[in-house]
Each structure stands twice: as structure tokens, then as C-alpha cells.
Amino acid sequence: MALRIGDEAPDFTAESTIGEFTLSKYLDGSWGLFFSHPADYTPVCTTELGTAQKLVPEFTKRNVKPFALSVDPVDKHAGWIKDINETQNVNFDFPIIADDHRKVSAMYGMLDQTNLEKQTGMPLTVRSVFIIDPSRKIRLILTYPASCGRNFDEIVRVIDSLQLTDKVKVATPANWKKGDDAIIVPSIDNEKAKELFGEFNQIKPYLRTVKASQYEK
């Protein structure tokens, strides 16, 4: 059965660029950003991993640990990291899982049966993204086509939204960014909203907004 939002992220142990990798040990109460790549030495993936590495300080602020997966073995990953460092001007240091047997990618539903490796005939992975919370629940699933690199600004935006709405009785509107007005959830009546936030703007009975200065206090 395909994984869905709210499912527990399956635990696994695999080889990686930092040695043996076990998901539960790696996360250890942190959020996780798990994203897959069709293969090593691919141009779009190289830019994605460079971009993710540049965002590591932002992920760290949010208690998020990134980790990637590609269907090639560890020794090939090591050579690719040298290219990532050279071409993206980074010092790459988070794990890339070696999934040449497709065990993890099959577990997470990442395989594209229409995109086969020429030498082995085995399927390659799509550009999957999973955001995993500290209880190891899957909170977001995204799938990109091979031709389109991921938008990491959007991934950070979703992490900010998830972490905010876990703490505060709000939802985030279209194109919301950290610091923007949020929406008071419908389950909170006006009396409770005043108690929680003080002032808020009622556009319609079902659409009430509150400023960041009110929901972040």
C-alpha cells in the first residue's frame, strides 16, 4: 500500500555516505527531509543537492535533518559529492543513501516503472520529497518529474507552516511565508480566538485572519 500523509515513516537501515544509516537513529527526535534522485552524476540532482547543502543552516534552525537517496552505490556517491562540491561551491556533508537494490525506494514508493536503467533494466527513482516529524509521522509528500528540479524555498515554507500550526491554532493561506498573516482555524470560535490572539480580522464568519505579532506572542 502506498504511503500517505499521517503514516509512520518506515524505519530502515542502509549504507550511506556517512556509513551505516538507520532512519530512527539519524532523526533521534528531529524533523527529517528525505528526498530521492534518479541517479548519480545527473545535472538537475547536482544542483538540488548543492542547494539543499546551502540551506543546512536554515534546516538546523528548524531542527530538520536532511538526507537523500540515489540508486547508485556508496563509492559512486563519493565521487559525485566531489563534483557537487566543485560545481555548487559547497562542502557537502549530509548523508546520501545507497539504494542500488531499490529496497528503500520500493518501501517509500519512489520507483518510476516507466524510467528504466539501461544497463540493469531496473526502475529509477522519481524526485520524491518526504517531510517527517519528530514522531516519525509523514507530514508532506511531493513528487516532481525528472525534468524539474525541486523548489527548496517551498520546502522550507512548508516546514515553517507545519511547525507553526503544530503549536498554534492557525492554518496558513496560499503563498504564506513566515511572518505573514495566518488564518484562525474554524474549530475556534470568536470568543476563544479573542482569548488566544486578542485582535483579529473577520472577513467572513469562516475566514478570520490574525497577524504574526498576535499568533507568535
Side-chain angles (χ1 to χ4, degrees):
M1 182 180 291
L3 292 173
R4 298 178 180 178
I5 289 174
D7 288 347
E8 183 174 289
D11 202 10
F12 63 86
T13 298
E15 291 303 310
S16 81
T17 52
I18 63 167
E20 186 177 88
F21 177 100
T22 299
L23 176 63
S24 55
K25 290 180 180 179
Y26 178 71
L27 293 183
D28 192 26
S30 297
W31 290 73
L33 170 60
F34 184 22
F35 55 109
S36 60
H37 299 275
D40 292 2
Y41 296 102
T42 48
V44 176
C45 298
T46 299
T47 65
E48 289 179 318
L49 286 167
T51 298
Q53 180 62 52
K54 290 172 185 175
L55 285 169
V56 164
E58 294 300 318
F59 294 141
T60 301
K61 287 179 191 176
R62 293 161 172 82
N63 190 30
V64 176
K65 293 180 178 179
F67 56 108
L69 173 148
S70 178
V71 297
D72 289 312
V74 167
D75 58 345
K76 198 170 180 182
H77 289 353
W80 187 25
I81 286 172
K82 292 179 183 178
D83 281 6
I84 294 166
N85 289 339
E86 176 189 346
T87 63
Q88 306 302 303
N89 194 28
V90 295
N91 184 18
F92 191 87
D93 63 3
F94 63 81
I96 304 176
I97 293 159
D99 194 35
D100 42 325
H101 298 297
R102 277 51 168 190
K103 178 182 174 183
V104 178
S105 48
M107 186 185 301
Y108 277 78
M110 295 173 167
L111 294 173
D112 179 1
Q113 299 295 336
T114 69
N115 188 12
L116 305 181
E117 189 176 30
K118 291 180 180 178
Q119 290 180 330
T120 65
M122 296 176 72
L124 298 174
T125 51
V126 292
R127 297 187 195 285
S128 295
V129 180
F130 293 85
I131 294 176
I132 302 167
D133 73 15
S135 65
R136 237 177 64 229
K137 292 290 188 296
I138 295 171
R139 302 295 298 277
L140 172 134
I141 301 171
L142 288 172
T143 303
Y144 288 75
S147 59
C148 180
R150 280 163 273 221
N151 185 332
F152 282 88
D153 291 337
E154 168 66 1
I155 290 168
V156 171
R157 188 187 80 90
V158 174
I159 291 167
D160 285 340
S161 174
L162 289 170
Q163 293 185 344
L164 170 65
T165 57
D166 277 359
K167 295 185 297 183
V168 184
K169 299 292 187 180
V170 295
T172 55
N175 297 328
W176 176 89
K177 297 186 295 297
K178 194 170 186 177
D180 288 351
D181 293 0
I183 294 170
I184 299 170
V185 296
S187 60
I188 301 296
D189 63 25
N190 284 350
E191 184 177 347
K192 185 64 174 179
K194 287 179 183 177
E195 179 185 326
L196 291 173
F197 307 115
E199 294 183 3
F200 60 89
N201 179 32
Q202 180 167 301
I203 302 165
K204 292 285 185 181
Y206 63 86
L207 179 54
R208 300 163 298 168
T209 62
V210 59
K211 294 188 178 299
S213 58
Q214 297 299 107
Y215 66 67
E216 289 178 346
K217 64 183 180 180

